[in-house]
Amino acid sequence: MADTNRGVVYMGPGTVEVQETPYPTFELRDGPGVHPDSVGRECHHGVILKIVSTNICGSDQHMVRGRTTAPRGLILGHEITGEVIEVGRDVEYIRRGDLVSTPFNIACGRCRNCKERKTGICLNTNPARPGAAYGYVDMGGWPGGQARYVMVPYADFNLLKFRDKEQAMAKILDLTMLSDIFPTGYHGAVTAGTTTGSTVYVAGAGPVGLAAAHAAQLLGASVVIVGDLIPERLAQARSFGCETIDVSRGDPGDQIAEILGTPEVDCGVDAVGFEAHGHGKDAGEEAPATVLNSLMTITRAGGALGIPGLYVTGDPGAKDDAAKEGSLSIRIGLGWAKSHVFTTGQCPVMKYNRELMEAILQDRCQIARAVNATVITLDDAPQGYRDFDRGAARKYVIDPHGLVGAAA
């Protein structure tokens, strides 16, 4: 008999609950967010995972705040690391007992975009639009992984297997970041053009911003500057060697000039997204275009902007009608005049996760320390969401079976 499943469920703006949830099967059943065309979809190419670790993401927080069109009853969680406990009929290479990282992008491995390594916009896993993810609004209705168990489709293509389980469990707090946050931050730094000697400005000192800053260091940046409004998060950025600026003090360019001697950087990363606030005297007011316009101002001509921060097509909590559909007052003319390159969209995790795994295993980076990974139980997840919403400088790692604590 299958074990009981429990998961973190979105109940409406500001509220999540840990509830008993359906045990996963190799069929996508009707439920919150599931497209009608996907109901009954058979997934014999999938596996069932016993969750080892699953993380709370800033993208989850957007939904929980009520800033998306996420349906009530959605099982949350797209950052998943687990042990394979059941293998579908059509799986060839993944075996029961394997310890694996699950990219948050659900990709078929067969469509044009997947074959071009654009796994964030798979054409086959979501009937409504390109791209799918676990437990996320508009991403196909696949049940999320902030739970005890989850089904992962197209397992042979999607899963990254750790070759040595004992070694992996010894570094599980770092390796759990491979499902999203570390590749996403790395993607932001890479697409901003970060290389040896670069000067980099990262807007936002939440977990993705901290991951982007650590990734920029890994890529060889000479100076990494992180901007935010929350002192605790800025202190966390300084803890691993970043310079910081408090954007409530005013224009980031002036503070960057105090550090670099010039108000410009080579590379700009937006790790904030659509809930951005103003700078200086407007720091308390939401102004969603602020970060993008600021980055265009402070990134040198010919530079690039990596934009891993989330922007949405539907925001019921936005200040005006335009922003409710994702239309912002962006100074695209400034970006054009400076010949900026912009890269947006979901990170294609599989493009980076294997190399970042090796960097972790060979002690080339300490991503868990950089983002202040903090282990909590499944039952503590609602409190984790509340603390994260208040700006805690932590990356909450849910340990539903006590396996992370046991390894530590």
Side-chain angles (χ1 to χ4, degrees):
M1 182 178 177
D3 194 0
T4 300
N5 198 19
R6 300 174 69 233
V8 180
V9 180
Y10 171 65
M11 303 301 294
T15 304
V16 298
E17 293 181 2
V18 178
Q19 300 180 354
E20 186 167 321
T21 57
Y23 189 87
T25 67
F26 295 119
E27 180 180 312
L28 191 55
R29 295 170 289 200
D30 196 11
V34 179
H35 193 281
D37 291 348
S38 288
V39 175
R41 183 174 188 157
E42 295 186 352
C43 300
H44 300 295
H45 42 63
V47 300
I48 293 173
L49 298 183
K50 178 181 180 179
I51 303 296
V52 172
S53 61
T54 176
N55 314 324
I56 297 176
C57 179
S59 298
D60 298 321
Q61 195 70 66
H62 290 304
M63 288 189 291
V64 173
R65 287 179 183 138
R67 296 300 299 268
T68 72
T69 55
R72 287 170 170 80
L74 184 68
I75 303 169
L76 299 173
H78 55 270
E79 300 191 12
I80 303 165
T81 305
E83 179 185 359
V84 177
I85 59 170
E86 190 173 345
V87 178
R89 179 192 67 205
D90 299 334
V91 176
E92 295 187 70
Y93 306 112
I94 296 295
R95 297 285 182 262
R96 184 173 180 174
D98 287 347
L99 183 63
V100 295
S101 177
T102 307
F104 79 90
N105 323 111
I106 303 175
C108 72
R110 296 155 167 80
C111 71
R112 174 181 177 175
N113 285 345
C114 283
K115 290 179 179 180
E116 293 177 357
R117 302 184 78 190
K118 300 172 184 175
T119 52
I121 43 175
C122 174
L123 300 174
N124 290 330
T125 47
N126 181 1
R129 59 193 283 187
Y134 305 90
Y136 204 78
V137 60
D138 295 332
M139 288 293 159
W142 299 88
Q146 287 174 13
R148 289 169 58 82
Y149 303 95
V150 73
M151 191 272 287
V152 173
Y154 303 101
D156 283 325
F157 182 68
N158 282 301
L159 292 176
L160 175 66
K161 176 183 173 181
F162 302 131
R163 57 184 175 268
D164 184 321
K165 290 177 69 173
E166 184 176 351
Q167 179 194 34
M169 286 304 297
K171 292 183 176 291
I172 192 63
L173 278 182
D174 293 287
L175 294 172
T176 191
M177 306 304 167
L178 291 174
S179 57
D180 179 358
I181 180 178
F182 198 13
T184 292
Y186 191 84
H187 181 61
V190 166
T191 55
T194 307
T195 187
T196 304
S198 297
T199 56
V200 182
Y201 174 65
V202 179
V208 169
L210 296 172
H214 190 46
Q217 294 173 332
L218 185 62
L219 288 163
S222 59
V223 182
V224 180
I225 305 169
V226 180
D228 204 288
L229 297 161
I230 301 174
E232 183 183 0
R233 289 183 167 181
L234 292 174
Q236 180 61 29
R238 289 192 295 272
S239 75
F240 59 97
C242 298
E243 300 285 347
T244 60
I245 63 173
D246 181 347
V247 296
S248 69
R249 288 177 48 202
D251 180 62
D254 293 339
Q255 297 180 68
I256 289 170
E258 294 175 8
I259 298 168
L260 298 178
T262 175
E264 291 189 327
V265 294
D266 299 318
C267 314
V269 179
D270 175 3
V272 178
F274 73 105
E275 288 193 68
H277 284 68
H279 295 158
K281 62 181 177 59
D282 298 320
E285 299 293 325
E286 189 167 305
T290 298
V291 170
L292 288 172
N293 288 333
S294 172
L295 284 172
M296 284 187 274
T297 300
I298 63 181
T299 301
R300 67 174 179 83
L305 276 62
I307 309 173
L310 176 68
Y311 289 88
V312 296
T313 57
D315 175 10
K319 291 178 61 176
D320 55 59
D321 289 340
K324 286 180 180 179
E325 61 177 19
S327 296
L328 309 180
S329 298
I330 304 299
R331 294 188 64 195
I332 193 65
L334 176 60
W336 188 94
K338 297 178 78 171
S339 294
H340 283 157
V341 174
F342 300 79
T343 302
T344 66
Q346 290 185 48
C347 166
V349 170
M350 291 174 65
K351 189 173 182 179
Y352 308 109
N353 64 350
R354 185 173 300 277
E355 291 81 358
L356 292 175
M357 174 187 72
E358 296 294 349
I360 289 169
L361 293 176
Q362 300 302 325
D363 295 321
R364 301 296 296 172
C365 52
Q366 291 79 40
I367 183 63
R369 181 173 67 85
V371 301
N372 196 15
T374 303
V375 179
I376 60 175
T377 68
L378 185 63
D379 288 323
D380 287 336
Q383 185 62 49
Y385 271 97
R386 288 189 289 270
D387 292 343
F388 190 29
D389 191 48
R390 288 193 287 266
R394 299 175 183 272
K395 176 68 172 177
Y396 287 104
V397 176
I398 300 172
D399 183 9
H401 292 278
L403 297 173
V404 177

PDB file of all heavy atoms in Angstrom, residues 239-263:
ATOM      1  N   SER A 239      28.655  38.764   3.446  1.00  0.00           N
ATOM      2  CA  SER A 239      29.272  37.639   4.144  1.00  0.00           C
ATOM      3  C   SER A 239      30.111  36.763   3.228  1.00  0.00           C
ATOM      4  O   SER A 239      30.975  36.028   3.708  1.00  0.00           O
ATOM      5  CB  SER A 239      28.197  36.790   4.837  1.00  0.00           C
ATOM      6  OG  SER A 239      27.475  35.996   3.900  1.00  0.00           O
ATOM      7  N   PHE A 240      29.885  36.803   1.923  1.00  0.00           N
ATOM      8  CA  PHE A 240      30.719  36.020   1.013  1.00  0.00           C
ATOM      9  C   PHE A 240      31.446  36.899  -0.010  1.00  0.00           C
ATOM     10  O   PHE A 240      31.778  36.475  -1.099  1.00  0.00           O
ATOM     11  CB  PHE A 240      29.920  34.893   0.331  1.00  0.00           C
ATOM     12  CG  PHE A 240      28.735  35.328  -0.498  1.00  0.00           C
ATOM     13  CD1 PHE A 240      28.861  35.473  -1.870  1.00  0.00           C
ATOM     14  CD2 PHE A 240      27.495  35.535   0.079  1.00  0.00           C
ATOM     15  CE1 PHE A 240      27.779  35.843  -2.654  1.00  0.00           C
ATOM     16  CE2 PHE A 240      26.398  35.899  -0.691  1.00  0.00           C
ATOM     17  CZ  PHE A 240      26.546  36.055  -2.060  1.00  0.00           C
ATOM     18  N   GLY A 241      31.698  38.158   0.387  1.00  0.00           N
ATOM     19  CA  GLY A 241      32.625  38.982  -0.364  1.00  0.00           C
ATOM     20  C   GLY A 241      32.056  39.954  -1.357  1.00  0.00           C
ATOM     21  O   GLY A 241      32.808  40.533  -2.156  1.00  0.00           O
ATOM     22  N   CYS A 242      30.747  40.189  -1.326  1.00  0.00           N
ATOM     23  CA  CYS A 242      30.151  41.168  -2.236  1.00  0.00           C
ATOM     24  C   CYS A 242      30.204  42.567  -1.633  1.00  0.00           C
ATOM     25  O   CYS A 242      30.159  42.745  -0.409  1.00  0.00           O
ATOM     26  CB  CYS A 242      28.691  40.808  -2.526  1.00  0.00           C
ATOM     27  SG  CYS A 242      28.454  39.223  -3.334  1.00  0.00           S
ATOM     28  N   GLU A 243      30.289  43.560  -2.513  1.00  0.00           N
ATOM     29  CA  GLU A 243      30.011  44.938  -2.122  1.00  0.00           C
ATOM     30  C   GLU A 243      28.490  45.118  -2.127  1.00  0.00           C
ATOM     31  O   GLU A 243      27.771  44.401  -2.843  1.00  0.00           O
ATOM     32  CB  GLU A 243      30.643  45.915  -3.112  1.00  0.00           C
ATOM     33  CG  GLU A 243      32.144  45.806  -3.227  1.00  0.00           C
ATOM     34  CD  GLU A 243      32.872  46.413  -2.038  1.00  0.00           C
ATOM     35  OE1 GLU A 243      32.220  47.134  -1.254  1.00  0.00           O
ATOM     36  OE2 GLU A 243      34.080  46.180  -1.898  1.00  0.00           O
ATOM     37  N   THR A 244      27.981  46.059  -1.336  1.00  0.00           N
ATOM     38  CA  THR A 244      26.532  46.248  -1.295  1.00  0.00           C
ATOM     39  C   THR A 244      26.163  47.722  -1.336  1.00  0.00           C
ATOM     40  O   THR A 244      26.946  48.586  -0.922  1.00  0.00           O
ATOM     41  CB  THR A 244      25.923  45.626  -0.020  1.00  0.00           C
ATOM     42  OG1 THR A 244      26.490  46.255   1.142  1.00  0.00           O
ATOM     43  CG2 THR A 244      26.156  44.128   0.024  1.00  0.00           C
ATOM     44  N   ILE A 245      24.953  47.972  -1.822  1.00  0.00           N
ATOM     45  CA  ILE A 245      24.381  49.316  -1.769  1.00  0.00           C
ATOM     46  C   ILE A 245      22.937  49.219  -1.291  1.00  0.00           C
ATOM     47  O   ILE A 245      22.234  48.257  -1.609  1.00  0.00           O
ATOM     48  CB  ILE A 245      24.444  50.048  -3.124  1.00  0.00           C
ATOM     49  CG1 ILE A 245      23.625  49.337  -4.189  1.00  0.00           C
ATOM     50  CG2 ILE A 245      25.887  50.200  -3.586  1.00  0.00           C
ATOM     51  CD1 ILE A 245      23.531  50.116  -5.496  1.00  0.00           C
ATOM     52  N   ASP A 246      22.532  50.197  -0.507  1.00  0.00           N
ATOM     53  CA  ASP A 246      21.165  50.286  -0.004  1.00  0.00           C
ATOM     54  C   ASP A 246      20.407  51.236  -0.935  1.00  0.00           C
ATOM     55  O   ASP A 246      20.636  52.446  -0.913  1.00  0.00           O
ATOM     56  CB  ASP A 246      21.185  50.822   1.426  1.00  0.00           C
ATOM     57  CG  ASP A 246      19.801  50.932   2.038  1.00  0.00           C
ATOM     58  OD1 ASP A 246      18.802  50.829   1.303  1.00  0.00           O
ATOM     59  OD2 ASP A 246      19.717  51.148   3.264  1.00  0.00           O
ATOM     60  N   VAL A 247      19.501  50.684  -1.743  1.00  0.00           N
ATOM     61  CA  VAL A 247      18.841  51.514  -2.755  1.00  0.00           C
ATOM     62  C   VAL A 247      17.860  52.501  -2.136  1.00  0.00           C
ATOM     63  O   VAL A 247      17.393  53.417  -2.823  1.00  0.00           O
ATOM     64  CB  VAL A 247      18.140  50.646  -3.820  1.00  0.00           C
ATOM     65  CG1 VAL A 247      19.153  49.818  -4.589  1.00  0.00           C
ATOM     66  CG2 VAL A 247      17.070  49.756  -3.212  1.00  0.00           C
ATOM     67  N   SER A 248      17.545  52.348  -0.830  1.00  0.00           N
ATOM     68  CA  SER A 248      16.698  53.354  -0.194  1.00  0.00           C
ATOM     69  C   SER A 248      17.449  54.663  -0.009  1.00  0.00           C
ATOM     70  O   SER A 248      16.830  55.711   0.236  1.00  0.00           O
ATOM     71  CB  SER A 248      16.186  52.839   1.160  1.00  0.00           C
ATOM     72  OG  SER A 248      17.241  52.739   2.100  1.00  0.00           O
ATOM     73  N   ARG A 249      18.785  54.628  -0.130  1.00  0.00           N
ATOM     74  CA  ARG A 249      19.596  55.848   0.009  1.00  0.00           C
ATOM     75  C   ARG A 249      19.553  56.719  -1.242  1.00  0.00           C
ATOM     76  O   ARG A 249      19.965  57.886  -1.201  1.00  0.00           O
ATOM     77  CB  ARG A 249      21.051  55.480   0.294  1.00  0.00           C
ATOM     78  CG  ARG A 249      21.309  54.924   1.684  1.00  0.00           C
ATOM     79  CD  ARG A 249      22.774  54.533   1.837  1.00  0.00           C
ATOM     80  NE  ARG A 249      23.670  55.580   1.364  1.00  0.00           N
ATOM     81  CZ  ARG A 249      24.938  55.387   0.992  1.00  0.00           C
ATOM     82  NH1 ARG A 249      25.445  54.156   1.033  1.00  0.00           N
ATOM     83  NH2 ARG A 249      25.681  56.396   0.583  1.00  0.00           N
ATOM     84  N   GLY A 250      19.098  56.164  -2.350  1.00  0.00           N
ATOM     85  CA  GLY A 250      19.042  56.958  -3.569  1.00  0.00           C
ATOM     86  C   GLY A 250      19.531  56.188  -4.770  1.00  0.00           C
ATOM     87  O   GLY A 250      19.569  54.958  -4.780  1.00  0.00           O
ATOM     88  N   ASP A 251      19.911  56.928  -5.791  1.00  0.00           N
ATOM     89  CA  ASP A 251      20.272  56.354  -7.072  1.00  0.00           C
ATOM     90  C   ASP A 251      21.419  55.347  -6.949  1.00  0.00           C
ATOM     91  O   ASP A 251      22.470  55.669  -6.381  1.00  0.00           O
ATOM     92  CB  ASP A 251      20.692  57.474  -8.030  1.00  0.00           C
ATOM     93  CG  ASP A 251      21.081  56.943  -9.388  1.00  0.00           C
ATOM     94  OD1 ASP A 251      20.219  56.355 -10.050  1.00  0.00           O
ATOM     95  OD2 ASP A 251      22.256  57.094  -9.767  1.00  0.00           O
ATOM     96  N   PRO A 252      21.246  54.133  -7.475  1.00  0.00           N
ATOM     97  CA  PRO A 252      22.335  53.147  -7.389  1.00  0.00           C
ATOM     98  C   PRO A 252      23.615  53.609  -8.070  1.00  0.00           C
ATOM     99  O   PRO A 252      24.715  53.280  -7.616  1.00  0.00           O
ATOM    100  CB  PRO A 252      21.748  51.915  -8.091  1.00  0.00           C
ATOM    101  CG  PRO A 252      20.275  52.054  -7.936  1.00  0.00           C
ATOM    102  CD  PRO A 252      20.018  53.531  -8.015  1.00  0.00           C
ATOM    103  N   GLY A 253      23.482  54.384  -9.142  1.00  0.00           N
ATOM    104  CA  GLY A 253      24.670  54.836  -9.861  1.00  0.00           C
ATOM    105  C   GLY A 253      25.619  55.632  -8.994  1.00  0.00           C
ATOM    106  O   GLY A 253      26.845  55.469  -9.076  1.00  0.00           O
ATOM    107  N   ASP A 254      25.087  56.511  -8.155  1.00  0.00           N
ATOM    108  CA  ASP A 254      25.940  57.315  -7.279  1.00  0.00           C
ATOM    109  C   ASP A 254      26.711  56.432  -6.296  1.00  0.00           C
ATOM    110  O   ASP A 254      27.892  56.671  -6.021  1.00  0.00           O
ATOM    111  CB  ASP A 254      25.094  58.330  -6.503  1.00  0.00           C
ATOM    112  CG  ASP A 254      24.484  59.391  -7.401  1.00  0.00           C
ATOM    113  OD1 ASP A 254      25.001  59.589  -8.523  1.00  0.00           O
ATOM    114  OD2 ASP A 254      23.470  59.995  -6.993  1.00  0.00           O
ATOM    115  N   GLN A 255      26.034  55.412  -5.770  1.00  0.00           N
ATOM    116  CA  GLN A 255      26.695  54.513  -4.820  1.00  0.00           C
ATOM    117  C   GLN A 255      27.688  53.590  -5.519  1.00  0.00           C
ATOM    118  O   GLN A 255      28.730  53.246  -4.957  1.00  0.00           O
ATOM    119  CB  GLN A 255      25.642  53.707  -4.067  1.00  0.00           C
ATOM    120  CG  GLN A 255      24.712  54.582  -3.219  1.00  0.00           C
ATOM    121  CD  GLN A 255      23.667  53.769  -2.485  1.00  0.00           C
ATOM    122  OE1 GLN A 255      24.000  53.004  -1.575  1.00  0.00           O
ATOM    123  NE2 GLN A 255      22.406  53.908  -2.867  1.00  0.00           N
ATOM    124  N   ILE A 256      27.365  53.188  -6.732  1.00  0.00           N
ATOM    125  CA  ILE A 256      28.312  52.389  -7.511  1.00  0.00           C
ATOM    126  C   ILE A 256      29.572  53.199  -7.790  1.00  0.00           C
ATOM    127  O   ILE A 256      30.694  52.679  -7.725  1.00  0.00           O
ATOM    128  CB  ILE A 256      27.653  51.898  -8.819  1.00  0.00           C
ATOM    129  CG1 ILE A 256      26.609  50.819  -8.492  1.00  0.00           C
ATOM    130  CG2 ILE A 256      28.692  51.360  -9.798  1.00  0.00           C
ATOM    131  CD1 ILE A 256      25.741  50.427  -9.667  1.00  0.00           C
ATOM    132  N   ALA A 257      29.401  54.477  -8.070  1.00  0.00           N
ATOM    133  CA  ALA A 257      30.558  55.336  -8.326  1.00  0.00           C
ATOM    134  C   ALA A 257      31.466  55.427  -7.095  1.00  0.00           C
ATOM    135  O   ALA A 257      32.695  55.519  -7.225  1.00  0.00           O
ATOM    136  CB  ALA A 257      30.091  56.722  -8.744  1.00  0.00           C
ATOM    137  N   GLU A 258      30.876  55.383  -5.903  1.00  0.00           N
ATOM    138  CA  GLU A 258      31.679  55.406  -4.683  1.00  0.00           C
ATOM    139  C   GLU A 258      32.547  54.154  -4.562  1.00  0.00           C
ATOM    140  O   GLU A 258      33.628  54.189  -3.970  1.00  0.00           O
ATOM    141  CB  GLU A 258      30.766  55.514  -3.456  1.00  0.00           C
ATOM    142  CG  GLU A 258      30.006  56.834  -3.361  1.00  0.00           C
ATOM    143  CD  GLU A 258      29.030  56.840  -2.197  1.00  0.00           C
ATOM    144  OE1 GLU A 258      29.059  55.876  -1.392  1.00  0.00           O
ATOM    145  OE2 GLU A 258      28.229  57.784  -2.100  1.00  0.00           O
ATOM    146  N   ILE A 259      32.083  53.052  -5.123  1.00  0.00           N
ATOM    147  CA  ILE A 259      32.819  51.787  -5.044  1.00  0.00           C
ATOM    148  C   ILE A 259      33.818  51.644  -6.182  1.00  0.00           C
ATOM    149  O   ILE A 259      34.978  51.265  -5.976  1.00  0.00           O
ATOM    150  CB  ILE A 259      31.831  50.602  -5.054  1.00  0.00           C
ATOM    151  CG1 ILE A 259      30.914  50.663  -3.821  1.00  0.00           C
ATOM    152  CG2 ILE A 259      32.564  49.257  -5.118  1.00  0.00           C
ATOM    153  CD1 ILE A 259      29.732  49.706  -3.885  1.00  0.00           C
ATOM    154  N   LEU A 260      33.377  51.965  -7.410  1.00  0.00           N
ATOM    155  CA  LEU A 260      34.185  51.698  -8.603  1.00  0.00           C
ATOM    156  C   LEU A 260      34.899  52.924  -9.166  1.00  0.00           C
ATOM    157  O   LEU A 260      35.793  52.776 -10.004  1.00  0.00           O
ATOM    158  CB  LEU A 260      33.301  51.101  -9.706  1.00  0.00           C
ATOM    159  CG  LEU A 260      32.615  49.760  -9.414  1.00  0.00           C
ATOM    160  CD1 LEU A 260      31.747  49.355 -10.606  1.00  0.00           C
ATOM    161  CD2 LEU A 260      33.651  48.681  -9.119  1.00  0.00           C
ATOM    162  N   GLY A 261      34.451  54.093  -8.734  1.00  0.00           N
ATOM    163  CA  GLY A 261      35.002  55.310  -9.336  1.00  0.00           C
ATOM    164  C   GLY A 261      34.298  55.703 -10.613  1.00  0.00           C
ATOM    165  O   GLY A 261      34.655  56.695 -11.252  1.00  0.00           O
ATOM    166  N   THR A 262      33.303  54.977 -11.009  1.00  0.00           N
ATOM    167  CA  THR A 262      32.474  55.260 -12.180  1.00  0.00           C
ATOM    168  C   THR A 262      31.065  54.777 -11.866  1.00  0.00           C
ATOM    169  O   THR A 262      30.891  53.791 -11.131  1.00  0.00           O
ATOM    170  CB  THR A 262      33.000  54.530 -13.431  1.00  0.00           C
ATOM    171  OG1 THR A 262      32.087  54.739 -14.528  1.00  0.00           O
ATOM    172  CG2 THR A 262      33.152  53.038 -13.193  1.00  0.00           C
ATOM    173  N   PRO A 263      30.027  55.435 -12.396  1.00  0.00           N
ATOM    174  CA  PRO A 263      28.649  55.033 -12.079  1.00  0.00           C
ATOM    175  C   PRO A 263      28.131  53.889 -12.937  1.00  0.00           C
ATOM    176  O   PRO A 263      26.928  53.608 -12.926  1.00  0.00           O
ATOM    177  CB  PRO A 263      27.856  56.316 -12.350  1.00  0.00           C
ATOM    178  CG  PRO A 263      28.618  56.998 -13.437  1.00  0.00           C
ATOM    179  CD  PRO A 263      30.074  56.702 -13.157  1.00  0.00           C
TER     180      PRO A 263
END
